[in-house]
Amino acid sequence: MIAELSDAKFDTIVGRLRNRVELEAAIDSWTREQDAAAIEDRLQAACVPAHVVSRSGDLARDVDLREAGHLNKINDPVFGEAEIEGPRFSLDRTSLAPTRRGPRIGEHTNEVLATVLGMSDTEIAQLSEAGVLA
C-alpha cells in the first residue's frame, strides 16, 4: 500500500474529495514507474474494479472482445476490407453484426432534404447549384 494513503483523512469519500489533490499526487507517484497491466492485475487481485485506459489498438487486440464478436469485418468501397467495432450490447431479436458501413459526408443529403424536409428535386438542385450542398 502507498504509505501516504494510510492517513485517516482518506478513509471516507468526503476525506478523499477534500484532499483530492494530495490523493491524486500520491496515486500518480505510485503508478508513474509501473506497468499499467501489472497495476491492473494487482488491483483486480485485491477486488478493486480496475482496467487500464485502452486505445483503439488495445481494443483491436483484446481477446475477450474478439471472442464476444465485438469486432466485425466489413467491405468499405473506399478503404477496402476494414474491421469495425460492433454494438456495445446485444438484444434478443437483433444481430450483433453491423448492417452497413458508416455514411460518407453528404452521402444522404438529397434523401434527407427530400424525405425529412419535403424539398422538391428543383429546390435541392438549386441548393446544389448555389454551392450550398457538399
Side-chain angles (χ1 to χ4, degrees):
M1 179 170 187
I2 309 167
E4 296 93 345
L5 298 181
S6 62
D7 191 307
K9 67 185 169 190
F10 297 124
D11 287 351
T12 66
I13 186 66
V14 173
R16 290 189 291 275
L17 288 171
R18 285 185 180 150
N19 299 284
R20 72 175 147 252
V21 172
E22 186 179 344
L23 175 63
E24 289 176 13
I27 292 170
D28 179 60
S29 173
W30 180 68
T31 59
R32 178 170 289 145
E33 300 301 322
Q34 296 187 60
D35 176 68
I39 294 171
E40 175 187 78
D41 290 344
R42 186 172 174 187
L43 291 171
Q44 288 179 359
C47 297
V48 175
H51 194 288
V52 297
V53 174
S54 299
R55 294 178 174 86
S56 295
D58 300 326
L59 298 176
R61 292 184 293 277
D62 189 291
V63 175
D64 295 325
L65 290 178
R66 288 204 172 278
E67 288 179 9
H70 182 68
L71 302 168
N72 302 283
K73 289 186 180 179
I74 61 163
N75 190 10
D76 184 278
V78 175
F79 300 108
E81 188 174 276
E83 192 168 58
I84 63 171
E85 285 187 73
R88 306 266 178 204
F89 59 90
S90 64
L91 301 172
D92 289 342
R93 295 181 302 228
T94 59
S95 168
L96 281 177
T99 57
R100 62 180 185 257
R101 64 172 171 76
R104 301 282 177 250
I105 293 176
E107 181 177 358
H108 299 107
T109 300
N110 289 4
E111 178 185 347
V112 170
L113 293 175
T115 61
V116 176
L117 299 179
M119 295 179 76
S120 69
D121 290 342
T122 303
E123 291 172 310
I124 295 170
Q126 289 172 342
L127 289 175
S128 184
E129 290 168 13
V132 174
L133 306 178

